[in-house]
């Protein structure tokens, strides 16, 4: 059986998921090292970007399992963004928190749509009569 090329919608959700994940990694590093660190000169909180690097290979390899667990992992970062958007005292940090919230929502939507579209495509493929 030859592999079926992904639909444009599936390819788009994959691109969006990878883009949001890379954006989230870059934001976490830049936020805690340069833009608005908790301590001058950067903080160890930049290590929060490491768990986001782990699923990158799975998303690039188009592994369904990775899309599923990333859609759960992202809520930890969303929660951090919400807490810091309302509790941080500097305007720069609050703005970065809102960017984190938007990237998290984009990543979640992309992962959820990706899984839904791939499952629908697999169901359709399995329902076709054999020729």
């Amino acid at each position: 059986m030859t592999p079926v090329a992904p639909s444009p919608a599936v390819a788009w959700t994959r691109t969006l998921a990878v883009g949001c994940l890379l954006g989230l990694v870059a934001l976490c590093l830049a936020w805690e090292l340069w833009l608005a660190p908790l301590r001058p000169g950067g903080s160890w909180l930049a290590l929060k970007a490491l768990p986001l690097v782990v699923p990158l290979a799975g998303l690039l390899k188009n592994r369904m399992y990775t899309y599923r667990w990333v859609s759960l992992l992202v809520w930890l970062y969303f929660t951090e963004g919400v807490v810091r958007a309302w509790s941080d005292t500097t305007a720069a940090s609050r703005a970065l928190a809102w960017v984190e919230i938007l990237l998290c929502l984009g990543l979640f939507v992309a992962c959820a749509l990706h899984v839904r579209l791939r499952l629908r495509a697999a169901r359709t493929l399995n329902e076709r009569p054999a020729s």
Side-chain angles (χ1 to χ4, degrees), residues 8-78:
V10 170
W12 182 82
T13 58
R14 177 177 181 243
T15 302
L16 181 62
V18 170
C20 286
L21 184 65
L22 288 174
L24 206 49
V25 169
L27 175 71
C28 288
L29 289 174
W31 186 352
E32 300 303 339
L33 294 176
W34 302 291
L35 300 175
L38 290 177
R39 291 178 178 71
S43 72
W44 284 96
L45 200 53
L47 292 175
K48 70 181 179 186
L50 285 178
L52 294 171
V53 175
V54 173
L56 189 57
L59 293 185
L60 292 173
K61 291 178 182 178
N62 220 13
R63 293 191 174 145
M64 179 80 86
Y65 179 75
T66 306
Y67 284 91
R68 287 178 171 169
W69 69 262
V70 166
S71 69
L72 299 175
L73 172 71
V74 73
W75 290 112
L76 295 172
Y77 293 88
F78 175 83

Side-chain angles (χ1 to χ4, degrees), residues 40-124:
S43 72
W44 284 96
L45 200 53
L47 292 175
K48 70 181 179 186
L50 285 178
L52 294 171
V53 175
V54 173
L56 189 57
L59 293 185
L60 292 173
K61 291 178 182 178
N62 220 13
R63 293 191 174 145
M64 179 80 86
Y65 179 75
T66 306
Y67 284 91
R68 287 178 171 169
W69 69 262
V70 166
S71 69
L72 299 175
L73 172 71
V74 73
W75 290 112
L76 295 172
Y77 293 88
F78 175 83
T79 303
E80 182 213 12
V82 169
V83 168
R84 291 186 74 175
W86 268 269
S87 66
D88 280 2
T89 57
T90 63
S93 190
R94 281 191 305 244
L96 292 170
W98 279 104
V99 173
E100 182 177 30
I101 290 168
L102 292 174
L103 285 170
C104 288
L105 290 174
L107 180 56
F108 175 76
V109 168
C111 288
L113 279 174
H114 187 87
V115 169
R116 174 177 265 179
L117 291 171
R118 282 185 56 192
L119 288 175
R120 184 180 298 153
R123 195 176 320 116
T124 304

